Amino acid sequence: MMTEAAALDRITRAGPFRGFPGLLGVELRVWFPWRVLFLIVAGLSVFALIYVPWRGFEVNQLGPLMIWFLTFWIMMLLVSTVALTEGAVLGEIERGTASWLVAMPIARPAVILAKFAAAAMGLAVTVFVPGAAAYPVLADASERGITDFSVQEVFELAEIPIGQWGAYTRLPSWGTYVAMLLSLWALLVFVAALMMFLGSVVRSRTAVFGLGLGAAGIVFASAFIPGLASSATPAGIARAVIDIAQGKEAALMAPVMGTLLASGAALVLAMWSFNRRELT
Amino acid sequence: MTVPAVEIRQLKKRYRKVEALRGLDLTVDQGSVCGFLGPNGAGKTTTMKILMGLIRSSSGWAAVLGDDVRDASLQARARVGYLPQDPVFPSSQTVRSVVASVARLYPGHPRGSELRRRVDDLIDRVGMTDKARRRVRGLSGGERQRLGVAQALVGDPDLVILDEPSAGLDPMGRRNMLALIEEISSQATVFYSTHILDDVERISDTVVMISGGRAVAHGSLDEILTVSESDYAVRIRGETSGIHDRLRAEPWVGNIDIRRYAEIEDWRIRLVGDSAADRLVPLLVSDGACDVIEFHLSDRRLEDAYLELVGADDGD
């Protein structure tokens, strides 16, 4: 045990991050194992629900399979992130556990930071595990799609443009695929940071949930709006992910950097707001 | 000279249109057990929340163990254990994991087997060893309070602030809680709020009474109980109307409260002025129509003092 003076000195030096490791431990127990397990199973289920009937069709094409999988998976992850983080701050304030926590020798910003870090870690696992598990199956579908020449001929005879929905959708390389998953994770991290901010400033959980869901919906829908798609915004990530799924080239750097910056800003605002909030 | 455990000067707090604290002054010396008394809405919980940095004062100054709660709240909280009113803990965690989680939030906390030993000691100290593996959601109100005390003690605090620690407890739970507070007081200053005056008389050595956001009495229990030494109890027999009228006519006699039991009457006489008592005795014995059987300073209980001090302030 350190002396009291040394302990107090450590508190002073730790500043706004005082208590972060201990709080992170508490918050990780919120996400691991059950929440993360649930999200992994849900992600795999989405893939299975799309892939299994797909195999029954005579047309085995990669493009539609990836599009449907990623669309539903992203939607599921966005809604889940909103649902699982809407009460992270405001729920604790309402229940009284926030008062209990901040009466300890911890800095308030560390509470928000720990919640965000735990959510980011949980979401990383929920993105990469089902994403990585899906890749070999997508590769298999890709090979069978490409070798299915009759399909190609049918498309050509019918003068249907091949590429976007055709049999020749290229399977993204493993590196591109991982970059795509990283981008998707950055998108979810942005939503989590946004929820922390909303939970710190809004007084109603229903409003936090509604605003979060609305924001996620706008981000997702914006992916299909030309102009926003290439911008350095979270919507740009959604667009880029869909482009990659269609075998197109997509610039991920700008939207990912923009999204991470927006996440940082939301997080700083959340910490500032929570630091000032009275826990009556 | 040691700094006070709690020092508050002209503390004010306003919630929109409600003025919860209106210039509160109080001092709690280190090593004392200070009961913080007051009616609902008097400002007790608000004061404690300001001390713990949960809310900010509108004006005034407060310090805990010498640390200003505005500028050095973190340092102050490292040396203070706090039990909130209606404590809420993560419902899915066990008693042991709650205490261990709190322990890990303190700087320089023990690790490994030492941490486990410390947690088990605390759980044992509050009498919850057999419930250490039980989840919070399965605890009764009294057990939750005891868990609250355990987590308040985890940082080995110099000051323990307890907000209504025995509220909602059954008689046995209340007795156990008082015993626990007495035990804590051997190692730390205890500042606790309550409505239960008997508890204060039993375990406190200092009392602060608050009403309408201000302290209306402040001092040792003895000082509070003898705040008015001009109350005298007189047991009297015989024809008393004459002496009663004569006393009522004297300007140094305040109030006379009379209770009759057959031929005996118990009077509680309030005198005004320092030398009034010297005049009372000769007047009483000079009346030949009645006999004074007993005469002594009135035994005041905390309840009397509370009703007198807080009741008087309620009209403000």
Side-chain angles (χ1 to χ4, degrees), chain A residues 1-2 4 8 11-12 18 22-23 29 95 99-100 102-106 108 276 278-280, chain B residues 13 49 52-54 56 74-75 77-78 82 88-90 101-102 105-108 151 158:
Chain A
M1 290 283 283
M2 63 172 64
E4 189 171 272
L8 291 175
I11 285 177
T12 311
R18 165 87 267 287
L23 288 167
R29 277 199 292 278
R95 281 192 299 275
S99 297
W100 167 66
V102 303
M104 315 281 174
I106 56 164
R108 286 195 186 196
R276 293 178 52 82
E278 298 219 316
L279 300 171
T280 51
Chain B
K13 177 63 186 175
K49 286 190 168 181
M52 294 311 300
L54 299 176
R56 287 181 302 278
L74 263 175
Q75 291 93 316
R77 278 181 277 146
Y82 173 58
V88 183
F89 308 108
S101 298
V102 174
L105 297 177
Y106 280 80
Q151 60 86 34
D158 297 320

mmCIF file of all heavy atoms in Angstrom, chain A residues 1-2 4 8 11-12 18 22-23 29 95 99-100 102-106 108 276 278-280, chain B residues 13 49 52-54 56 74-75 77-78 82 88-90 101-102 105-108 151 158:
data_model
loop_
_atom_site.group_PDB
_atom_site.id
_atom_site.type_symbol
_atom_site.label_atom_id
_atom_site.label_comp_id
_atom_site.label_asym_id
_atom_site.label_seq_id
_atom_site.Cartn_x
_atom_site.Cartn_y
_atom_site.Cartn_z
ATOM 1 N N MET A 1 0.843 -1.203 0.000
ATOM 2 C CA MET A 1 0.000 0.000 0.000
ATOM 3 C C MET A 1 0.881 1.256 0.000
ATOM 4 O O MET A 1 1.860 1.336 0.724
ATOM 5 C CB MET A 1 -0.882 0.014 1.255
ATOM 6 C CG MET A 1 -1.968 -1.038 1.260
ATOM 7 S SD MET A 1 -3.349 -0.595 0.215
ATOM 8 C CE MET A 1 -4.176 0.597 1.267
ATOM 9 N N MET A 2 0.515 2.215 -0.806
ATOM 10 C CA MET A 2 1.285 3.456 -0.815
ATOM 11 C C MET A 2 0.797 4.363 0.315
ATOM 12 O O MET A 2 -0.265 4.152 0.880
ATOM 13 C CB MET A 2 1.141 4.148 -2.167
ATOM 14 C CG MET A 2 -0.269 4.594 -2.514
ATOM 15 S SD MET A 2 -0.325 5.596 -3.991
ATOM 16 C CE MET A 2 0.231 4.420 -5.213
ATOM 17 N N GLU A 4 -0.591 7.753 2.196
ATOM 18 C CA GLU A 4 -1.732 8.591 1.833
ATOM 19 C C GLU A 4 -1.294 9.763 0.955
ATOM 20 O O GLU A 4 -1.962 10.114 -0.010
ATOM 21 C CB GLU A 4 -2.389 9.105 3.104
ATOM 22 C CG GLU A 4 -3.706 9.806 2.847
ATOM 23 C CD GLU A 4 -4.448 10.115 4.121
ATOM 24 O OE1 GLU A 4 -5.201 9.268 4.590
ATOM 25 O OE2 GLU A 4 -4.239 11.208 4.643
ATOM 26 N N LEU A 8 -2.649 10.590 -2.728
ATOM 27 C CA LEU A 8 -3.273 11.866 -3.102
ATOM 28 C C LEU A 8 -2.524 12.521 -4.251
ATOM 29 O O LEU A 8 -3.131 13.131 -5.133
ATOM 30 C CB LEU A 8 -3.316 12.795 -1.880
ATOM 31 C CG LEU A 8 -4.283 12.364 -0.780
ATOM 32 C CD1 LEU A 8 -4.161 13.270 0.428
ATOM 33 C CD2 LEU A 8 -5.715 12.352 -1.276
ATOM 34 N N ILE A 11 -3.609 10.952 -7.404
ATOM 35 C CA ILE A 11 -4.917 11.468 -7.818
ATOM 36 C C ILE A 11 -4.752 12.781 -8.564
ATOM 37 O O ILE A 11 -5.310 12.988 -9.638
ATOM 38 C CB ILE A 11 -5.801 11.694 -6.579
ATOM 39 C CG1 ILE A 11 -6.295 10.358 -6.054
ATOM 40 C CG2 ILE A 11 -6.999 12.571 -6.909
ATOM 41 C CD1 ILE A 11 -7.109 10.484 -4.810
ATOM 42 N N THR A 12 -3.948 13.673 -7.985
ATOM 43 C CA THR A 12 -3.772 14.996 -8.580
ATOM 44 C C THR A 12 -3.165 14.873 -9.969
ATOM 45 O O THR A 12 -3.591 15.534 -10.912
ATOM 46 C CB THR A 12 -2.853 15.850 -7.683
ATOM 47 O OG1 THR A 12 -3.335 15.746 -6.354
ATOM 48 C CG2 THR A 12 -2.875 17.294 -8.103
ATOM 49 N N ARG A 18 -8.453 10.115 -13.827
ATOM 50 C CA ARG A 18 -8.341 9.403 -12.557
ATOM 51 C C ARG A 18 -9.467 8.359 -12.433
ATOM 52 O O ARG A 18 -10.634 8.661 -12.569
ATOM 53 C CB ARG A 18 -8.415 10.407 -11.399
ATOM 54 C CG ARG A 18 -8.670 9.833 -10.016
ATOM 55 C CD ARG A 18 -7.372 9.432 -9.377
ATOM 56 N NE ARG A 18 -7.039 8.045 -9.598
ATOM 57 C CZ ARG A 18 -7.646 7.010 -9.006
ATOM 58 N NH1 ARG A 18 -8.633 7.172 -8.192
ATOM 59 N NH2 ARG A 18 -7.249 5.774 -9.235
ATOM 60 N N GLY A 22 -9.933 1.304 -13.409
ATOM 61 C CA GLY A 22 -10.944 0.616 -12.603
ATOM 62 C C GLY A 22 -12.322 0.711 -13.226
ATOM 63 O O GLY A 22 -13.078 -0.271 -13.264
ATOM 64 N N LEU A 23 -12.654 1.884 -13.743
ATOM 65 C CA LEU A 23 -13.960 2.076 -14.377
ATOM 66 C C LEU A 23 -14.079 1.248 -15.648
ATOM 67 O O LEU A 23 -15.141 0.702 -15.948
ATOM 68 C CB LEU A 23 -14.158 3.561 -14.713
ATOM 69 C CG LEU A 23 -14.403 4.479 -13.526
ATOM 70 C CD1 LEU A 23 -14.257 5.937 -13.938
ATOM 71 C CD2 LEU A 23 -15.784 4.241 -12.943
ATOM 72 N N ARG A 29 -17.272 -5.388 -18.067
ATOM 73 C CA ARG A 29 -18.161 -6.461 -17.597
ATOM 74 C C ARG A 29 -19.595 -6.246 -18.099
ATOM 75 O O ARG A 29 -20.386 -7.174 -18.133
ATOM 76 C CB ARG A 29 -18.136 -6.541 -16.074
ATOM 77 C CG ARG A 29 -16.954 -7.346 -15.550
ATOM 78 C CD ARG A 29 -17.188 -7.791 -14.122
ATOM 79 N NE ARG A 29 -17.181 -6.679 -13.191
ATOM 80 C CZ ARG A 29 -16.086 -6.132 -12.681
ATOM 81 N NH1 ARG A 29 -14.913 -6.603 -13.002
ATOM 82 N NH2 ARG A 29 -16.158 -5.132 -11.828
ATOM 83 N N ARG A 95 -30.923 5.923 -12.562
ATOM 84 C CA ARG A 95 -30.946 4.850 -11.549
ATOM 85 C C ARG A 95 -30.232 5.271 -10.267
ATOM 86 O O ARG A 95 -30.509 4.748 -9.202
ATOM 87 C CB ARG A 95 -30.274 3.595 -12.100
ATOM 88 C CG ARG A 95 -31.144 2.778 -13.027
ATOM 89 C CD ARG A 95 -30.525 1.426 -13.277
ATOM 90 N NE ARG A 95 -29.231 1.513 -13.906
ATOM 91 C CZ ARG A 95 -29.015 1.623 -15.219
ATOM 92 N NH1 ARG A 95 -30.041 1.652 -16.030
ATOM 93 N NH2 ARG A 95 -27.800 1.697 -15.709
ATOM 94 N N SER A 99 -24.369 8.664 -9.400
ATOM 95 C CA SER A 99 -24.050 9.380 -8.158
ATOM 96 C C SER A 99 -23.132 8.533 -7.287
ATOM 97 O O SER A 99 -22.193 9.039 -6.683
ATOM 98 C CB SER A 99 -25.323 9.677 -7.374
ATOM 99 O OG SER A 99 -26.155 10.514 -8.091
ATOM 100 N N TRP A 100 -23.446 7.264 -7.233
ATOM 101 C CA TRP A 100 -22.626 6.346 -6.436
ATOM 102 C C TRP A 100 -21.192 6.320 -6.967
ATOM 103 O O TRP A 100 -20.232 6.406 -6.196
ATOM 104 C CB TRP A 100 -23.268 4.952 -6.477
ATOM 105 C CG TRP A 100 -22.410 3.859 -5.981
ATOM 106 C CD1 TRP A 100 -21.964 3.673 -4.702
ATOM 107 C CD2 TRP A 100 -21.880 2.767 -6.744
ATOM 108 N NE1 TRP A 100 -21.204 2.544 -4.631
ATOM 109 C CE2 TRP A 100 -21.130 1.971 -5.868
ATOM 110 C CE3 TRP A 100 -21.974 2.388 -8.086
ATOM 111 C CZ2 TRP A 100 -20.473 0.819 -6.295
ATOM 112 C CZ3 TRP A 100 -21.332 1.247 -8.500
ATOM 113 C CH2 TRP A 100 -20.592 0.478 -7.614
ATOM 114 N N VAL A 102 -19.546 8.578 -8.977
ATOM 115 C CA VAL A 102 -18.740 9.805 -8.973
ATOM 116 C C VAL A 102 -18.480 10.328 -7.562
ATOM 117 O O VAL A 102 -17.762 11.305 -7.403
ATOM 118 C CB VAL A 102 -19.339 10.916 -9.867
ATOM 119 C CG1 VAL A 102 -19.510 10.440 -11.285
ATOM 120 C CG2 VAL A 102 -20.652 11.416 -9.308
ATOM 121 N N ALA A 103 -19.067 9.670 -6.555
ATOM 122 C CA ALA A 103 -18.699 10.013 -5.171
ATOM 123 C C ALA A 103 -17.366 9.372 -4.786
ATOM 124 O O ALA A 103 -16.819 9.658 -3.734
ATOM 125 C CB ALA A 103 -19.797 9.557 -4.210
ATOM 126 N N MET A 104 -16.867 8.510 -5.650
ATOM 127 C CA MET A 104 -15.547 7.878 -5.426
ATOM 128 C C MET A 104 -14.459 8.850 -5.914
ATOM 129 O O MET A 104 -14.747 9.801 -6.630
ATOM 130 C CB MET A 104 -15.413 6.587 -6.237
ATOM 131 C CG MET A 104 -16.597 5.692 -6.192
ATOM 132 S SD MET A 104 -16.631 4.757 -4.698
ATOM 133 C CE MET A 104 -18.207 3.965 -4.882
ATOM 134 N N PRO A 105 -13.229 8.559 -5.565
ATOM 135 C CA PRO A 105 -12.150 9.441 -6.040
ATOM 136 C C PRO A 105 -11.813 9.188 -7.505
ATOM 137 O O PRO A 105 -10.743 8.698 -7.853
ATOM 138 C CB PRO A 105 -10.979 9.098 -5.120
ATOM 139 C CG PRO A 105 -11.242 7.714 -4.681
ATOM 140 C CD PRO A 105 -12.724 7.544 -4.633
ATOM 141 N N ILE A 106 -12.764 9.468 -8.353
ATOM 142 C CA ILE A 106 -12.546 9.311 -9.796
ATOM 143 C C ILE A 106 -12.941 10.611 -10.484
ATOM 144 O O ILE A 106 -13.775 11.350 -9.982
ATOM 145 C CB ILE A 106 -13.379 8.154 -10.381
ATOM 146 C CG1 ILE A 106 -14.859 8.376 -10.067
ATOM 147 C CG2 ILE A 106 -12.917 6.821 -9.861
ATOM 148 C CD1 ILE A 106 -15.771 7.537 -10.878
ATOM 149 N N ARG A 108 -14.809 12.678 -13.318
ATOM 150 C CA ARG A 108 -16.021 12.426 -14.097
ATOM 151 C C ARG A 108 -15.752 12.117 -15.574
ATOM 152 O O ARG A 108 -16.399 11.242 -16.141
ATOM 153 C CB ARG A 108 -16.968 13.613 -13.982
ATOM 154 C CG ARG A 108 -17.647 13.696 -12.635
ATOM 155 C CD ARG A 108 -18.803 14.643 -12.741
ATOM 156 N NE ARG A 108 -19.417 14.872 -11.452
ATOM 157 C CZ ARG A 108 -20.612 15.409 -11.312
ATOM 158 N NH1 ARG A 108 -21.308 15.763 -12.365
ATOM 159 N NH2 ARG A 108 -21.121 15.599 -10.123
ATOM 160 N N ARG A 276 -20.088 18.827 -15.861
ATOM 161 C CA ARG A 276 -20.841 19.958 -15.326
ATOM 162 C C ARG A 276 -22.198 19.545 -14.779
ATOM 163 O O ARG A 276 -22.851 20.321 -14.099
ATOM 164 C CB ARG A 276 -21.053 20.993 -16.431
ATOM 165 C CG ARG A 276 -19.777 21.663 -16.896
ATOM 166 C CD ARG A 276 -20.055 22.635 -18.018
ATOM 167 N NE ARG A 276 -21.109 23.578 -17.670
ATOM 168 C CZ ARG A 276 -20.918 24.677 -16.944
ATOM 169 N NH1 ARG A 276 -19.715 24.968 -16.527
ATOM 170 N NH2 ARG A 276 -21.912 25.483 -16.662
ATOM 171 N N GLU A 278 -25.249 18.231 -12.725
ATOM 172 C CA GLU A 278 -25.533 18.039 -11.301
ATOM 173 C C GLU A 278 -26.273 16.714 -11.127
ATOM 174 O O GLU A 278 -27.260 16.440 -11.811
ATOM 175 C CB GLU A 278 -26.402 19.184 -10.795
ATOM 176 C CG GLU A 278 -25.703 20.519 -10.930
ATOM 177 C CD GLU A 278 -25.973 21.431 -9.750
ATOM 178 O OE1 GLU A 278 -27.128 21.493 -9.335
ATOM 179 O OE2 GLU A 278 -25.023 22.059 -9.252
ATOM 180 N N LEU A 279 -25.770 15.901 -10.234
ATOM 181 C CA LEU A 279 -26.382 14.592 -9.999
ATOM 182 C C LEU A 279 -27.251 14.703 -8.746
ATOM 183 O O LEU A 279 -26.827 14.384 -7.649
ATOM 184 C CB LEU A 279 -25.301 13.527 -9.851
ATOM 185 C CG LEU A 279 -24.406 13.400 -11.091
ATOM 186 C CD1 LEU A 279 -23.232 12.494 -10.823
ATOM 187 C CD2 LEU A 279 -25.217 12.888 -12.270
ATOM 188 N N THR A 280 -28.459 15.219 -8.956
ATOM 189 C CA THR A 280 -29.336 15.498 -7.811
ATOM 190 C C THR A 280 -30.007 14.227 -7.305
ATOM 191 O O THR A 280 -30.128 13.271 -8.026
ATOM 192 C CB THR A 280 -30.420 16.512 -8.201
ATOM 193 O OG1 THR A 280 -31.048 16.066 -9.394
ATOM 194 C CG2 THR A 280 -29.803 17.859 -8.430
ATOM 195 N N LYS B 13 -27.579 27.140 -1.887
ATOM 196 C CA LYS B 13 -27.879 26.347 -3.077
ATOM 197 C C LYS B 13 -29.298 26.637 -3.525
ATOM 198 O O LYS B 13 -30.236 26.529 -2.736
ATOM 199 C CB LYS B 13 -27.731 24.845 -2.776
ATOM 200 C CG LYS B 13 -28.094 23.943 -3.941
ATOM 201 C CD LYS B 13 -27.183 24.140 -5.126
ATOM 202 C CE LYS B 13 -27.622 23.340 -6.333
ATOM 203 N NZ LYS B 13 -26.807 23.628 -7.513
ATOM 204 N N LYS B 49 -24.509 16.175 -0.688
ATOM 205 C CA LYS B 49 -24.150 16.044 -2.106
ATOM 206 C C LYS B 49 -23.138 17.110 -2.518
ATOM 207 O O LYS B 49 -22.275 16.858 -3.358
ATOM 208 C CB LYS B 49 -25.406 16.118 -2.976
ATOM 209 C CG LYS B 49 -26.225 14.838 -2.901
ATOM 210 C CD LYS B 49 -27.321 14.806 -3.927
ATOM 211 C CE LYS B 49 -27.904 13.399 -3.985
ATOM 212 N NZ LYS B 49 -28.954 13.287 -4.988
ATOM 213 N N MET B 52 -19.819 15.958 -1.405
ATOM 214 C CA MET B 52 -19.280 14.860 -2.213
ATOM 215 C C MET B 52 -19.033 15.265 -3.663
ATOM 216 O O MET B 52 -18.650 14.434 -4.486
ATOM 217 C CB MET B 52 -20.226 13.659 -2.191
ATOM 218 C CG MET B 52 -20.385 12.996 -0.834
ATOM 219 S SD MET B 52 -18.822 12.640 -0.016
ATOM 220 C CE MET B 52 -18.019 11.552 -1.165
ATOM 221 N N GLY B 53 -19.292 16.517 -3.990
ATOM 222 C CA GLY B 53 -19.030 16.978 -5.357
ATOM 223 C C GLY B 53 -20.068 16.523 -6.360
ATOM 224 O O GLY B 53 -19.828 16.591 -7.569
ATOM 225 N N LEU B 54 -21.226 16.066 -5.885
ATOM 226 C CA LEU B 54 -22.257 15.619 -6.822
ATOM 227 C C LEU B 54 -23.026 16.802 -7.394
ATOM 228 O O LEU B 54 -23.521 16.749 -8.514
ATOM 229 C CB LEU B 54 -23.223 14.653 -6.130
ATOM 230 C CG LEU B 54 -22.598 13.372 -5.592
ATOM 231 C CD1 LEU B 54 -23.630 12.536 -4.849
ATOM 232 C CD2 LEU B 54 -22.002 12.557 -6.720
ATOM 233 N N ARG B 56 -23.112 21.385 -7.269
ATOM 234 C CA ARG B 56 -22.308 22.566 -6.928
ATOM 235 C C ARG B 56 -23.141 23.540 -6.113
ATOM 236 O O ARG B 56 -24.346 23.668 -6.338
ATOM 237 C CB ARG B 56 -21.832 23.267 -8.207
ATOM 238 C CG ARG B 56 -20.746 22.533 -8.948
ATOM 239 C CD ARG B 56 -20.314 23.317 -10.179
ATOM 240 N NE ARG B 56 -21.433 23.562 -11.071
ATOM 241 C CZ ARG B 56 -21.891 22.701 -11.954
ATOM 242 N NH1 ARG B 56 -21.317 21.518 -12.072
ATOM 243 N NH2 ARG B 56 -22.908 22.992 -12.725
ATOM 244 N N LEU B 74 -11.534 15.802 -5.875
ATOM 245 C CA LEU B 74 -10.961 14.458 -6.025
ATOM 246 C C LEU B 74 -10.173 14.046 -4.783
ATOM 247 O O LEU B 74 -10.340 12.941 -4.267
ATOM 248 C CB LEU B 74 -10.036 14.425 -7.239
ATOM 249 C CG LEU B 74 -10.616 13.903 -8.535
ATOM 250 C CD1 LEU B 74 -9.616 14.052 -9.650
ATOM 251 C CD2 LEU B 74 -11.013 12.457 -8.381
ATOM 252 N N GLN B 75 -9.305 14.950 -4.336
ATOM 253 C CA GLN B 75 -8.492 14.651 -3.150
ATOM 254 C C GLN B 75 -9.393 14.423 -1.942
ATOM 255 O O GLN B 75 -9.145 13.533 -1.140
ATOM 256 C CB GLN B 75 -7.513 15.793 -2.852
ATOM 257 C CG GLN B 75 -6.408 15.920 -3.874
ATOM 258 C CD GLN B 75 -6.763 16.896 -4.982
ATOM 259 O OE1 GLN B 75 -7.872 16.885 -5.496
ATOM 260 N NE2 GLN B 75 -5.817 17.715 -5.362
ATOM 261 N N ARG B 77 -12.501 13.408 -1.909
ATOM 262 C CA ARG B 77 -13.263 12.154 -2.007
ATOM 263 C C ARG B 77 -12.400 10.930 -1.740
ATOM 264 O O ARG B 77 -12.920 9.891 -1.360
ATOM 265 C CB ARG B 77 -13.911 12.060 -3.392
ATOM 266 C CG ARG B 77 -15.206 12.851 -3.472
ATOM 267 C CD ARG B 77 -15.833 12.741 -4.819
ATOM 268 N NE ARG B 77 -15.242 13.688 -5.744
ATOM 269 C CZ ARG B 77 -15.077 13.464 -7.041
ATOM 270 N NH1 ARG B 77 -15.437 12.312 -7.558
ATOM 271 N NH2 ARG B 77 -14.548 14.375 -7.809
ATOM 272 N N ALA B 78 -11.101 11.066 -1.949
ATOM 273 C CA ALA B 78 -10.219 9.923 -1.680
ATOM 274 C C ALA B 78 -10.162 9.608 -0.189
ATOM 275 O O ALA B 78 -9.802 8.505 0.202
ATOM 276 C CB ALA B 78 -8.824 10.221 -2.203
ATOM 277 N N TYR B 82 -18.792 7.429 1.476
ATOM 278 C CA TYR B 82 -20.118 8.042 1.356
ATOM 279 C C TYR B 82 -21.175 6.973 1.138
ATOM 280 O O TYR B 82 -21.041 6.106 0.269
ATOM 281 C CB TYR B 82 -20.100 9.014 0.177
ATOM 282 C CG TYR B 82 -21.435 9.622 -0.198
ATOM 283 C CD1 TYR B 82 -22.168 10.356 0.728
ATOM 284 C CD2 TYR B 82 -21.947 9.485 -1.483
ATOM 285 C CE1 TYR B 82 -23.392 10.931 0.373
ATOM 286 C CE2 TYR B 82 -23.145 10.060 -1.845
ATOM 287 C CZ TYR B 82 -23.863 10.785 -0.913
ATOM 288 O OH TYR B 82 -25.058 11.352 -1.264
ATOM 289 N N VAL B 88 -27.851 2.769 -4.622
ATOM 290 C CA VAL B 88 -28.128 1.925 -5.797
ATOM 291 C C VAL B 88 -26.803 1.386 -6.310
ATOM 292 O O VAL B 88 -25.857 2.145 -6.521
ATOM 293 C CB VAL B 88 -28.806 2.743 -6.920
ATOM 294 C CG1 VAL B 88 -29.141 1.850 -8.093
ATOM 295 C CG2 VAL B 88 -30.062 3.413 -6.404
ATOM 296 N N PHE B 89 -26.748 0.085 -6.477
ATOM 297 C CA PHE B 89 -25.543 -0.547 -7.007
ATOM 298 C C PHE B 89 -25.933 -1.345 -8.247
ATOM 299 O O PHE B 89 -27.102 -1.669 -8.420
ATOM 300 C CB PHE B 89 -24.929 -1.484 -5.962
ATOM 301 C CG PHE B 89 -24.718 -0.817 -4.629
ATOM 302 C CD1 PHE B 89 -25.511 -1.130 -3.549
ATOM 303 C CD2 PHE B 89 -23.736 0.138 -4.479
ATOM 304 C CE1 PHE B 89 -25.345 -0.497 -2.332
ATOM 305 C CE2 PHE B 89 -23.553 0.773 -3.267
ATOM 306 C CZ PHE B 89 -24.355 0.453 -2.186
ATOM 307 N N PRO B 90 -24.960 -1.675 -9.088
ATOM 308 C CA PRO B 90 -25.288 -2.488 -10.273
ATOM 309 C C PRO B 90 -25.972 -3.790 -9.847
ATOM 310 O O PRO B 90 -25.395 -4.580 -9.101
ATOM 311 C CB PRO B 90 -23.924 -2.749 -10.900
ATOM 312 C CG PRO B 90 -23.068 -1.621 -10.422
ATOM 313 C CD PRO B 90 -23.538 -1.309 -9.042
ATOM 314 N N SER B 101 -14.979 -3.865 -6.893
ATOM 315 C CA SER B 101 -14.951 -2.839 -7.950
ATOM 316 C C SER B 101 -14.664 -1.475 -7.355
ATOM 317 O O SER B 101 -13.885 -0.695 -7.917
ATOM 318 C CB SER B 101 -16.297 -2.785 -8.684
ATOM 319 O OG SER B 101 -16.558 -3.998 -9.317
ATOM 320 N N VAL B 102 -15.311 -1.187 -6.230
ATOM 321 C CA VAL B 102 -15.083 0.109 -5.584
ATOM 322 C C VAL B 102 -13.634 0.201 -5.107
ATOM 323 O O VAL B 102 -12.975 1.238 -5.277
ATOM 324 C CB VAL B 102 -16.065 0.305 -4.409
ATOM 325 C CG1 VAL B 102 -15.729 1.578 -3.641
ATOM 326 C CG2 VAL B 102 -17.488 0.368 -4.921
ATOM 327 N N LEU B 105 -11.117 1.401 -7.512
ATOM 328 C CA LEU B 105 -11.182 2.804 -7.928
ATOM 329 C C LEU B 105 -10.338 3.706 -7.048
ATOM 330 O O LEU B 105 -10.145 4.879 -7.361
ATOM 331 C CB LEU B 105 -12.640 3.285 -7.910
ATOM 332 C CG LEU B 105 -13.588 2.572 -8.885
ATOM 333 C CD1 LEU B 105 -15.000 3.081 -8.728
ATOM 334 C CD2 LEU B 105 -13.125 2.764 -10.320
ATOM 335 N N TYR B 106 -9.839 3.177 -5.941
ATOM 336 C CA TYR B 106 -9.027 3.999 -5.042
ATOM 337 C C TYR B 106 -7.559 3.904 -5.434
ATOM 338 O O TYR B 106 -7.085 2.823 -5.811
ATOM 339 C CB TYR B 106 -9.225 3.555 -3.586
ATOM 340 C CG TYR B 106 -10.497 4.105 -3.003
ATOM 341 C CD1 TYR B 106 -11.720 3.505 -3.285
ATOM 342 C CD2 TYR B 106 -10.492 5.245 -2.214
ATOM 343 C CE1 TYR B 106 -12.909 4.025 -2.786
ATOM 344 C CE2 TYR B 106 -11.666 5.769 -1.709
ATOM 345 C CZ TYR B 106 -12.869 5.157 -1.994
ATOM 346 O OH TYR B 106 -14.036 5.679 -1.509
ATOM 347 N N PRO B 107 -6.869 5.043 -5.337
ATOM 348 C CA PRO B 107 -5.455 5.011 -5.712
ATOM 349 C C PRO B 107 -4.662 4.143 -4.747
ATOM 350 O O PRO B 107 -4.926 4.140 -3.541
ATOM 351 C CB PRO B 107 -5.030 6.481 -5.593
ATOM 352 C CG PRO B 107 -6.034 7.102 -4.689
ATOM 353 C CD PRO B 107 -7.310 6.355 -4.866
ATOM 354 N N GLY B 108 -3.721 3.387 -5.295
ATOM 355 C CA GLY B 108 -2.868 2.555 -4.466
ATOM 356 C C GLY B 108 -3.611 1.412 -3.808
ATOM 357 O O GLY B 108 -3.235 0.965 -2.723
ATOM 358 N N GLN B 151 -18.954 -0.510 1.160
ATOM 359 C CA GLN B 151 -18.269 0.183 0.067
ATOM 360 C C GLN B 151 -17.805 1.573 0.498
ATOM 361 O O GLN B 151 -16.836 2.099 -0.029
ATOM 362 C CB GLN B 151 -19.118 0.214 -1.212
ATOM 363 C CG GLN B 151 -20.459 0.913 -1.111
ATOM 364 C CD GLN B 151 -20.355 2.402 -1.335
ATOM 365 O OE1 GLN B 151 -19.547 2.860 -2.120
ATOM 366 N NE2 GLN B 151 -21.161 3.167 -0.622
ATOM 367 N N ASP B 158 -11.032 8.787 6.331
ATOM 368 C CA ASP B 158 -10.917 9.553 7.577
ATOM 369 C C ASP B 158 -12.263 10.133 7.982
ATOM 370 O O ASP B 158 -12.465 10.488 9.132
ATOM 371 C CB ASP B 158 -9.926 10.703 7.385
ATOM 372 C CG ASP B 158 -8.533 10.182 7.076
ATOM 373 O OD1 ASP B 158 -8.126 9.185 7.693
ATOM 374 O OD2 ASP B 158 -7.863 10.757 6.195
#
